[in-house]
Amino acid sequence: MKTSAHNGPSPGPAARVDTTDIEALKRELERLRAVGSRDRGWLDAVLEHSPHGVILCDASGKLVLHNRAAERIWAGSASTESINDWTLYRAFHEDGRPYEAKDWAMARAMSERQVIESEETRIQRFDGTYGMVLGSAAPIIGPGGELEGGISVFADISRLKQVEAERGELAAQLTKQVEELDRRARLTQALLAVSTALSGAVTVEQVSAAVVSDIHRVLGASTTMMYTADEAAGVAALVGHSGLEEQRASPYARVPLDARLPLSDALRERRPIWVDTRQSLHAAYPELAALRPVRDDVKALAVLPIVAHAALLGGLAFSFADERAWSPEEREFLLSVAAQCASALDRARLLEREREARARAEMLAAELERQQATLRLLSEAGAALSGSLDVASRLTHLTHLAVPTLADWCAVDMLNGDSIERVAVHHGDPAKIELAERLRAMSPPRPDAPAGVSAVIRAGRSEWMADIPDAAIESAALSPEHLRLIRSLGLRSYVVVPLRGRDRTIGALTLVHAESGRRFSQADVALAEELANRVALLIDNARRFQEAQSLIRALERTNAELDQFAYVTSHDLKAPLRGIASLAQWIEEDLSDKLTADTRHQMELLRGRVRRMEALIEGILAYSRATRFREKPESVDLDRLAREVVELIAPRPPARVTLDVPPATLRTYRVPLQQVLMNLITNGLKHAGREDAAVSVSAREQGDRVEVSVSDNGPGIAPAFQEKVWGMFQTLQARDKVESTGIGLAIVRKIVESRGGRAWVESDGKRGATFRFTWPRREEAEGAG
């Protein structure tokens, strides 16, 4: 509001004031008063009806005017005498601090003598409510430049601010919804992209590539890792990752399923794990620090198992550098990804199994074909090698079989003392065989050669070269002409395998490819070794057969000599014994009236020892012939044979023999079985040490054998002596108490073991003994094949 002042001339000191001038001045003052009254009416009207609040103050800060709009905006008013009273009006800074008097815009405008425009201020009305005003302030300067007061004009923008806040909130909500829709759209697009990629994935690597990079990007993860699981081995293996440097990947390459780690728990328990804060992650898995670098940048985690048809196939692991609240949509998205991974991995696994099965079938078919060819060759070679005892002719036939089926060349070298002799060689072209012999004569094999036949025989290991380098041929040549002849053979590939006998290497088999252009493979080496093993075995068998034939003939001569010796010995020993017995009888008869009781006892002992000597001689003869039978196997009824043996022994009552033998029919030699039964039953009756000796014989079938038991009621055999009783001339009592040669049980064991059986004794050393032996149910004639 502007003020008016009269600007007429001021009277000078010499001026005369007359009545006319005074009247004029009065009229002017009335006019000015009328104008001022009119202007004040206009101002009051403006102030009264203005929608904006207006406050005026004087230079001291006393409020001299505030209009109706101001009272309405402030819900009242307050009287102030100075600026210090302006705190009755409450306002607040943006940080919430209440206004001091000097903070008001009008106070600052008066202090700085500058206009302050459009300043928003948060106020607290006199009724306690809050609002927002937008105001401007200006100082009122007098004509002389003095400060006369200040004016503040302001409007209530509370509703506008509320609408603006609501609009901002609505915009934020719309923005959030748009972002959420965009995020969902990106998740949906990612899921569709992954689905499309997975639909064509047929290997684990393709499944990993289809998932890891896209999901890593969509989620904004720090690291994304995919694992395959092997429950049998108890381990998960890393197959793909994103965001993880290679130098940091090694600790994650293989994770045990029994570890205390998120991945292990998720896979082992087959449940997803969601971690939203670093605090919860470290609280649940303190062991995780052992796998992480020193800088732990993981604050959130998601791990999902990949399961198909109740089978654990693998897992997905995502880590984040920021804390993350897992929304239902994100969880559903990752669960869908894991489910699709499960389908793709299951399909890849089935396809891999199908590929493996097909490859295995093809391999087996090829192997079967190779084995059939091998079997045919080995069968033909076996027939050729076993058809004659002539080793040289066998090996010559073998080389003809090997060419050209196995090789273009085939040669056999045998160790003969300290030298190596080539016993057979074959090639389709006789001229080349002659050339090879010339080359061998020019350069005979050296025993200390580092390679070739000599080295193989010396080391007993195969030597194989799929491609013979020209350098090897050049190094073997003695001269340019020699080199030319070697090259004319066209050697390309070779294998040399040892011929191993039972206890040593006896030679070597050499196979060579030349003009056919073929190459030896590892399978060919194995075939050559198998063929060489059979050749060596047959050669060794032939040699051993010849040696065995010589030994058999020598043994037959020795047995004949032994039989003659035994016959002569028994005859020469028995004749003096019979003479001693006759002399003793004659002496006793001639001196019958002069012999004392003691002398008669001595004579009886003499005759007893003569009888014992005769029994011993018979026992030795029986033992020497125990395993030589001239009869043939026949059907033997075990029960009937046992009864016949008892009838032959004819135990004197009260001694008795009881039988519990099944009616088993054996195909065996009758005499040795009868001798074993007789020796054991006689042994039981003799060593029972009592007149009422009781011997029981029983038998039971055990597959292709029978087990026979002979038990007695004698004093038994202490464990320390149970093995000694089977020795020659072994008795447990003095021979003067029990007539025994100590050979019977030795004969039993010798006969039983010669039939492939076993004989043993069981006794507690106190009450009786049981002798057992096993016997074959069916025997072939000696020498039968």
Side-chain angles (χ1 to χ4, degrees), residues 265-534:
D265 285 354
L267 269 57
R268 186 177 60 253
E269 300 172 10
R270 303 189 183 188
R271 63 176 178 86
I273 291 179
W274 314 93
V275 180
D276 49 8
T277 66
R278 176 165 28 184
Q279 182 179 2
S280 59
L281 176 63
H282 287 180
Y285 298 100
E287 299 88 347
L288 194 61
L291 280 180
R292 294 259 172 212
V294 175
R295 185 177 66 86
D296 189 356
D297 57 354
V298 176
K299 296 182 180 178
L301 198 68
V303 185
L304 300 97
I306 300 175
V307 180
H309 308 297
L312 178 64
L313 304 182
L316 292 170
F318 305 91
S319 65
F320 301 86
D322 298 319
E323 295 184 352
R324 190 181 190 97
W326 291 101
S327 66
E329 292 80 8
E330 287 179 326
R331 295 191 182 202
E332 185 64 29
F333 167 72
L334 289 179
L335 289 173
S336 298
V337 171
Q340 293 201 33
C341 283
S343 299
L345 283 180
D346 188 49
R347 182 175 63 252
R349 182 179 61 174
L350 293 176
L351 289 173
E352 181 63 23
R353 288 180 178 177
E354 181 182 348
R355 285 193 296 269
E356 290 177 355
R358 187 182 300 110
R360 181 169 177 78
E362 293 174 355
M363 181 185 69
L364 289 175
E367 179 65 16
L368 179 60
E369 182 178 354
R370 191 184 70 82
Q371 288 183 359
Q372 287 176 342
T374 301
L375 289 174
R376 285 193 299 269
L377 176 63
L378 293 177
S379 176
E380 293 174 1
L385 293 169
S386 61
S388 170
L389 293 177
D390 184 357
V391 174
S393 63
R394 289 184 181 189
L395 296 179
T396 300
H397 195 172
L398 171 68
T399 59
H400 283 73
L401 286 175
V403 176
T405 305
L406 287 183
D408 301 327
W409 287 85
C410 179
V412 179
D413 295 275
M414 299 297 296
L415 191 62
N416 186 5
D418 295 333
S419 63
I420 299 174
E421 178 183 351
R422 174 151 292 178
V423 296
V425 62
H426 186 63
H427 185 274
D429 185 355
K432 287 197 172 183
I433 297 178
E434 181 180 352
L435 176 58
E437 292 299 328
R438 284 178 54 198
L439 290 170
R440 184 179 178 86
M442 294 173 64
S443 176
R446 294 183 292 108
D448 59 346
V453 172
S454 299
V456 169
I457 294 177
R458 188 172 61 250
R461 292 191 300 270
S462 299
E463 185 178 301
W464 164 46
M465 189 171 287
D467 289 281
I468 302 175
D470 192 63
I473 296 177
E474 290 178 353
S475 64
L478 301 176
S479 64
E481 177 62 18
H482 192 210
L483 177 61
R484 185 187 65 79
L485 293 176
I486 294 176
R487 283 177 172 166
S488 67
L489 294 177
L491 308 179
R492 294 181 178 272
S493 179
Y494 78 88
V495 58
V496 183
V497 294
L499 299 174
R500 299 185 185 93
R502 287 178 172 83
D503 53 1
R504 63 192 178 94
T505 301
I506 60 176
L509 172 68
T510 302
L511 299 173
V512 180
H513 281 317
E515 59 274 357
S516 66
R518 293 179 291 178
R519 301 291 189 273
F520 286 111
S521 65
Q522 187 66 53
D524 296 325
V525 176
L527 172 58
E529 289 177 342
E530 175 64 22
L531 180 60
N533 289 337
R534 297 196 178 197

Side-chain angles (χ1 to χ4, degrees), residues 537-556:
L537 182 60
L538 289 169
I539 293 174
D540 205 30
N541 285 341
R543 288 181 173 179
R544 289 178 180 270
F545 178 76
Q546 293 173 350
E547 294 172 357
Q549 291 297 319
S550 299
L551 289 174
I552 288 172
R553 288 191 293 272
L555 183 60
E556 288 175 347

Side-chain angles (χ1 to χ4, degrees), residues 42 46-47 102 138 140 207 308 345 354 422 450 478 544 635 689 723 759 785:
W42 289 350
V46 170
L47 293 175
K102 64 180 181 179
I140 300 177
V207 173
L345 283 180
E354 181 182 348
R422 174 151 292 178
L478 301 176
R544 289 178 180 270
S635 296
E723 188 60 30

Side-chain angles (χ1 to χ4, degrees), residues 126-353:
F126 289 102
D127 62 0
T129 61
Y130 291 88
M132 185 71 74
V133 295
L134 176 66
S136 300
I140 300 177
I141 308 299
E146 70 277 9
L147 179 67
E148 293 186 352
I151 182 171
S152 176
V153 179
F154 50 91
D156 188 354
I157 60 172
S158 300
R159 179 58 184 168
L160 180 63
K161 282 294 182 180
Q162 181 180 358
V163 171
E164 184 179 298
E166 291 176 351
R167 185 174 59 187
E169 182 179 353
L170 179 60
Q173 291 177 354
L174 290 174
T175 301
K176 185 177 180 180
Q177 290 179 359
V178 170
E179 291 175 351
E180 179 66 19
L181 289 174
D182 180 65
R183 188 179 61 81
R184 291 187 180 183
R186 284 187 290 108
L187 292 178
T188 302
Q189 290 175 354
L191 190 60
L192 289 174
V194 169
S195 301
T196 303
L198 288 177
S199 65
V202 294
T203 65
V204 173
E205 291 74 16
Q206 290 175 347
V207 173
S208 174
V211 172
V212 170
S213 59
D214 285 346
I215 304 304
H216 179 81
R217 175 179 50 78
V218 170
L219 291 179
S222 298
T223 60
T224 300
M225 293 179 283
M226 181 173 176
Y227 287 83
T228 56
D230 186 345
E231 286 190 287
V235 69
L238 183 66
V239 293
H241 61 85
S242 187
L244 186 65
E245 298 88 346
E246 289 301 327
Q247 60 269 25
R248 295 178 57 195
S250 57
Y252 306 93
R254 292 175 67 83
V255 179
L257 295 183
D258 59 355
R260 278 289 297 127
L261 296 170
L263 177 69
S264 303
D265 285 354
L267 269 57
R268 186 177 60 253
E269 300 172 10
R270 303 189 183 188
R271 63 176 178 86
I273 291 179
W274 314 93
V275 180
D276 49 8
T277 66
R278 176 165 28 184
Q279 182 179 2
S280 59
L281 176 63
H282 287 180
Y285 298 100
E287 299 88 347
L288 194 61
L291 280 180
R292 294 259 172 212
V294 175
R295 185 177 66 86
D296 189 356
D297 57 354
V298 176
K299 296 182 180 178
L301 198 68
V303 185
L304 300 97
I306 300 175
V307 180
H309 308 297
L312 178 64
L313 304 182
L316 292 170
F318 305 91
S319 65
F320 301 86
D322 298 319
E323 295 184 352
R324 190 181 190 97
W326 291 101
S327 66
E329 292 80 8
E330 287 179 326
R331 295 191 182 202
E332 185 64 29
F333 167 72
L334 289 179
L335 289 173
S336 298
V337 171
Q340 293 201 33
C341 283
S343 299
L345 283 180
D346 188 49
R347 182 175 63 252
R349 182 179 61 174
L350 293 176
L351 289 173
E352 181 63 23
R353 288 180 178 177

